[in-house]
Amino acid sequence: MEYLLMFIAAVFVNNIVLSQFLGICPFLGVSKKVSTALGMAGAVAFVLVLATIVTYLANACILVPFGLEYLRTITFILIIAALVQMVEIVLKKVSPALYQALGVFLPLITTNCCILGVAILVIQKDYNLLESVVYAFSNAIGFGFALVLFAGLREQIEFSETPKAMKGMPIALVTAGILAMAFMGFSGLVK
């Protein structure tokens, strides 16, 4: 039951993008098409879960035993950058179409603060490895859900009449704000 509540909280109540404002760059940059948003959500999910496992183990097995906690942030950044490079190489060989569709946004995962944020939050919340994986997976689902939902809204906005001054990013930001307020409706659901 605890893991189910953690999942619901991460996806709806404390959504990494809409409540904690981590991962805004890809949220706004890759959300013009649902197909691209789905690809980015999958890549972020894979890297997020893998990075959380590796950073948790690096913290527990290397940093804490040797008293090197002060190197946590730089270590986590290096691990995430290496994992993104690995995902990029794999995507290039396995799915060239998805690699081409993501284009410049794939390296954006390296600087995606939601990945580093989740890795640090796992340590701050003192989760064990299983809780860390559930938390990372839940946040990945929440990120993907928000990204795809927002991409769908942006596709619909393209077909509607908007004032000239609101076209493009201004209406996208207003839509993101309304979407964040809609997710606030889940705030009483779980802690």
Side-chain angles (χ1 to χ4, degrees), residues 29-30 40 88 98-111:
V30 187
M40 180 60 128
E88 192 171 359
L98 180 58
Y99 175 78
Q100 205 66 21
L102 290 175
V104 72
F105 297 112
L106 194 57
L108 229 145
I109 295 175
T110 305
T111 58

Side-chain angles (χ1 to χ4, degrees), residues 55 59 72-80 116 119-120 123:
T55 55
N59 185 64
R72 185 176 291 146
T73 303
I74 191 71
T75 304
F76 287 6
I77 289 170
L78 292 172
I79 289 170
I80 291 166
L116 179 61
I120 291 173
I123 304 302

